[in-house]
Amino acid sequence: MSFLLDTPYTPCFIRNEFLFDEQEGHGEFTHGFVFGFRAEPHRVPMFQVMLENGAQWARVPVHMICSKPCDPLPIDVCVWWDSFSR
């Protein structure tokens, strides 16, 4: 079972390597807005994002979103437990 929650529209940047299946786009960012949060058992927190070009991406993991362009953090630093934990 999963839960989807609406969130306030929050500006963000998406790491382009997520958009290109880790094949290209490293160090590049696309501006977008977070508008939803998804929680699933045994998974990292995930977000729904609308990009500036109108594309909607669902299940964007937390470590692929940032508030400003920066170096990536390892996932174990971003998330200390799965998103369904109490």
Side-chain angles (χ1 to χ4, degrees), residues 6-56:
D6 293 331
T7 62
Y9 293 166
T10 306
C12 68
F13 288 93
I14 304 296
R15 298 182 188 286
N16 281 358
E17 59 260 30
F18 174 76
L19 304 177
F20 296 103
D21 200 26
E22 301 284 338
Q23 301 298 316
E24 58 184 73
H26 294 275
E28 299 173 5
F29 300 86
T30 300
H31 186 261
F33 289 89
V34 171
F35 66 91
F37 172 80
R38 184 178 185 95
E40 293 183 18
H42 310 293
R43 291 192 168 203
V44 300
M46 296 175 284
F47 297 89
Q48 289 186 289
V49 178
M50 178 72 75
L51 302 180
E52 63 183 359
N53 63 6
Q56 177 185 335

Side-chain angles (χ1 to χ4, degrees), residues 60-77:
V60 178
V62 66
H63 63 290
M64 289 294 165
I65 296 176
C66 53
S67 60
K68 60 182 178 181
C70 61
D71 293 331
L73 292 172
I75 195 165
D76 60 336
V77 173

